[in-house]
Each structure stands twice: as structure tokens, then as C-alpha cells.
Amino acid sequence: MSIGKNSKPRINSAAEMIFMTISWLLGVFVFAILIGNVKDIIAQSTRTKDEYMAKFESIKQYMIGMHVPQETMDRVKTWCKYTWDNQKTFDERTILQHLPEKLMTDVAVDIHFDTITNVKLFQGCNPGLVKDLVVRLKSILYLPGDYVCKKGDVGKEMFIISSGAVQVVGGENDEKVFVTLNKGSCFGEIALLGTGNMNRRTASIKARGFTTLYVLFKKDLEEVLESYPEDKQLLELKAARAKQEAMAKQNVNKTETSTNQMKEELFSPTEDPKLLSAVLEVLKKKNQ
């Protein structure tokens, strides 16, 4: 018996035999530990993916049973594949659910604090308010061409672009792109405090490519504001100012629309123009 390139121990030397035997057993033991750890790592990685795929399979079987159109099923499949490739879970918040609340808050603040403080609506507010809001942000992935919101919808949330981009669209079949918003931009914040027509979306917005948005819901903001009455008054003032600006803009648009309509009525030809009829009548009488 020998180990590696070492020479065989002498049979008549008990010390060498014992040393070589212990070394051989120790080597086998260490090798078994290493193999066992690698096996556990591989098993853990496979188990996580198996659990994810089992959930996806349940969703797939449900859609088949409910006769969901194939186009929708393909979009769900695309969403699940992209989500697994990027975050290995359906909901990224579940990754941190085992942490103490304090540590979970610290991680969320490190990730989102700078982003939400750039939102004009929350500038000048208590840092504690912003910190409480950060914890309530929810990540949502939109597929290419998905509508984030449509014009006229009731707004119950605001959006912050984490990755990707969105387009403000309009015109016939929403084919015209007015502006593109990229990472770090936010929209829909006024709807959080709006009432009446102020909580209606004024434009349709679609995702350009795979886009991840952080969403803050109105109910979450209202719960947090109960602890910050001064900030609540500040936000209400900002909402009132925004409402006045929106109404002024609407009045300007209405005036421009009315002016354009008058121009069309005056200068656009009709089937029986009154001015032309009068001229023809005068010429007819003159010829007589």
C-alpha cells in the first residue's frame, strides 16, 4: 500500500504501516467531505430551480385547463423565463423575507433610497417618510409592448423605472411615440394624492423592451402618511398646485382646439358652401 509517489512502507516497520494507514484514511475522509459539500451545493441549486419550475408548471396547467389563448400562454412563459434568468424567483422580496425587519429595511434603503428621493413629489419631506416608503416598493416586470397604464384609467400607483424604458404613446392605435422615459425616471406620482379627475391617467404608457418598474401604491402611501401629518399637508399642497397647473393646461388645450375648429369651419370646403352659393346667385342675376 502506498499514497501517491511515496514508497511502500516496510512490512517489518509497524510505525510506517500505522502512519501510512492513518494518512490514507484521513485522505479518504477529507475527499468524502469535499465531494459531499459539492453534492449539497449542486442539489441546492437544482432544488431551487425545480421549485421554480414546479410553480411555473402549475401555472401552465391552470391556463390549459381554463383554455387560455396560446398567445397569452407564450407571454407568461416568456415572463417566467426572463424572471428566472434575472432574479431566480417570482418575487424578489421573498429573497429577504428571512432577514430581521431592521436588516430588511437597511437593504431596501441601500437599494432604493436615492431613487425615491429624486421624485419631485417627495422632495422636502421627512427622511423617515421616504425610508418607510422605500420598504413598500414592489418590483414588477413588464414585457415588450405591455401597457403600464392607459389614458383615462384610474391611477392608484406611481412608477419608478428600475431598468429598461417606457414610451408615452397616443394617436391612432397608440402608434405615435411622444416621449421615451429611461431608467431613473418616474411617472404617475400625482395620481397618488389626486381626487376626482386628477386621479385619471392623462396618457397611455407602454414598455419598450423588458422593463422593470418599482411601484408604490396609494394605499401604502396613505398608511405611511398617518405617522407624518406635516408631510401629508405638504403633499396635499403639492397635489393642489399640480391640479391648478393641469386645469390651466386643459383650458389652453381647449382654447387651441376651439380655434382650430373655427379655422376649419371657415376655410374648409363643404358640400354646399354658403359663400359660393351667394356668388353664383349674384352672377346668375347679372347675366339675366
Side-chain angles (χ1 to χ4, degrees), residues 107-127:
V107 172
V109 168
D110 289 339
I111 296 174
H112 305 305
F113 188 81
D114 290 340
T115 300
I116 200 169
T117 50
N118 290 328
V119 179
K120 290 184 178 179
L121 183 65
F122 302 121
Q123 290 179 356
C125 291
N126 190 314

Side-chain angles (χ1 to χ4, degrees), residues 52-53 56 74-92 139-144 146 162-165 207-213:
Y52 185 91
M53 295 309 298
F56 167 70
D74 291 340
R75 292 177 67 248
V76 172
K77 182 178 180 181
T78 301
W79 184 91
C80 290
K81 183 179 184 303
Y82 186 87
T83 302
W84 170 258
D85 291 340
N86 284 272
Q87 61 186 35
K88 312 300 182 186
T89 180
F90 282 101
D91 186 356
E92 67 172 10
S139 175
I140 299 180
L141 170 67
Y142 289 85
L143 300 181
D146 277 356
S162 173
S163 64
R208 189 189 71 177
F210 292 96
T211 303
T212 301
L213 302 178

Side-chain angles (χ1 to χ4, degrees), residues 225-253:
L225 285 177
E226 293 298 324
S227 301
Y228 300 90
E230 294 182 357
D231 290 317
K232 183 176 182 180
Q233 293 179 359
L234 174 62
L235 294 180
E236 288 175 348
L237 288 175
K238 289 186 176 183
R241 190 181 305 117
K243 182 177 181 179
Q244 292 176 353
E245 293 175 355
M247 291 178 63
K249 186 176 181 180
Q250 288 177 0
N251 291 334
V252 171
N253 292 336

Side-chain angles (χ1 to χ4, degrees), residues 49-229:
K49 186 173 182 178
D50 290 343
E51 291 175 355
Y52 185 91
M53 295 309 298
K55 293 178 181 178
F56 167 70
E57 188 64 27
S58 298
I59 296 172
K60 180 180 177 181
Q61 293 303 321
Y62 171 79
M63 292 190 296
I64 294 174
M66 299 302 292
H67 306 291
V68 175
Q70 185 63 43
E71 180 182 357
T72 302
M73 293 178 64
D74 291 340
R75 292 177 67 248
V76 172
K77 182 178 180 181
T78 301
W79 184 91
C80 290
K81 183 179 184 303
Y82 186 87
T83 302
W84 170 258
D85 291 340
N86 284 272
Q87 61 186 35
K88 312 300 182 186
T89 180
F90 282 101
D91 186 356
E92 67 172 10
R93 291 184 300 178
T94 60
I95 300 175
L96 305 176
Q97 66 180 356
H98 300 296
L99 292 176
E101 184 176 352
K102 176 62 170 61
L103 287 178
M104 188 183 300
T105 301
D106 290 343
V107 172
V109 168
D110 289 339
I111 296 174
H112 305 305
F113 188 81
D114 290 340
T115 300
I116 200 169
T117 50
N118 290 328
V119 179
K120 290 184 178 179
L121 183 65
F122 302 121
Q123 290 179 356
C125 291
N126 190 314
L129 169 70
V130 178
K131 186 176 179 180
D132 289 343
L133 292 178
V134 161
V135 182
R136 296 170 182 260
L137 290 178
K138 182 179 180 182
S139 175
I140 299 180
L141 170 67
Y142 289 85
L143 300 181
D146 277 356
Y147 277 94
V148 179
C149 59
K150 289 187 176 183
K151 185 176 181 179
D153 289 349
V154 176
K156 297 181 179 179
E157 63 279 298
M158 65 162 286
F159 304 90
I160 303 173
I161 303 175
S162 173
S163 64
V166 300
Q167 296 175 322
V168 181
V169 297
E172 186 176 356
N173 298 322
D174 290 334
E175 294 180 351
K176 184 176 181 180
V177 178
F178 296 109
V179 66
T180 299
L181 303 176
N182 297 303
K183 179 179 179 181
S185 300
C186 64
F187 56 94
E189 62 269 27
I190 300 302
L192 289 179
L193 293 169
T195 56
N197 293 331
M198 281 298 296
N199 62 358
R200 295 283 180 176
R201 302 296 187 191
T202 58
S204 296
I205 298 179
K206 298 174 67 174
R208 189 189 71 177
F210 292 96
T211 303
T212 301
L213 302 178
Y214 288 117
V215 184
L216 176 63
F217 291 95
K218 186 173 184 176
K219 60 182 181 63
D220 291 327
L221 175 62
E222 291 175 344
E223 289 178 4
V224 173
L225 285 177
E226 293 298 324
S227 301
Y228 300 90

